[in-house]
Amino acid sequence: MRIRYATIMVADIEESIRFYTEVMGFEIESRHDPKPGLRIVLLRGKGDTLIELIRDESNPQEPGLYSVGMEVENIEATVNELKAKGATITMEPTPITVGTLAFVGDPNGVRIALIQHHGHG
């Protein structure tokens, strides 16, 4: 398991893009508009960990850190292993556009996103 991205819910995506590119020195990796009102922008700094900015007009979230994303090879096995160790699975593995996603809650209320991208497992 490795950290792949940090997801940040934003109030103004253009302002956030400007901050992370012009001030922090990140580059835009990709932009996605999966449905009307939902904008996702992936930003890359040094290394292979990304920052994911999300603005969802249809389901606004409180701005701030939303989750830390961990890439896994086999999401079903990972979820079963974490359950066996007493972890709280807050969302069972669910198909998404790029693979399969599940969420685990840490003791501090931080959402940990587990993602298995298509082509793994």
Side-chain angles (χ1 to χ4, degrees):
M1 201 176 322
R2 68 183 177 103
I3 295 176
R4 181 72 176 125
Y5 59 88
T7 299
I8 302 170
M9 295 300 188
V10 301
D12 181 328
I13 199 155
E14 293 304 325
E15 176 184 50
S16 296
I17 291 168
R18 276 191 300 280
F19 173 78
Y20 282 99
T21 58
E22 295 174 15
V23 176
M24 300 301 293
F26 284 72
E27 293 182 1
I28 295 173
E29 172 91 359
S30 61
R31 294 176 183 254
H32 308 273
D33 297 299
K35 65 180 186 179
L38 175 59
R39 296 189 59 205
I40 301 170
V41 177
L42 295 171
L43 302 164
R44 181 177 299 280
K46 301 235 185 283
D48 65 353
T49 302
L50 303 172
I51 291 179
E52 177 182 45
L53 303 177
I54 297 179
R55 177 66 185 158
D56 188 350
E57 298 293 338
S58 66
N59 183 24
Q61 301 284 326
E62 187 70 28
L65 181 65
Y66 182 78
S67 65
V68 174
M70 306 279 187
E71 188 170 46
V72 299
E73 293 293 319
N74 183 322
I75 198 162
E76 296 291 340
T78 302
V79 165
N80 289 336
E81 179 184 333
L82 294 172
K83 282 181 182 177
K85 293 179 178 179
T88 302
I89 306 302
T90 58
M91 186 180 91
E92 291 290 331
T94 304
I96 59 170
T97 306
V98 297
T100 306
L101 176 70
F103 280 101
V104 178
D106 95 337
N108 306 293
V110 174
R111 293 174 197 90
I112 299 171
L114 303 175
I115 186 163
Q116 177 184 327
H117 288 94
H118 291 304
H120 292 276

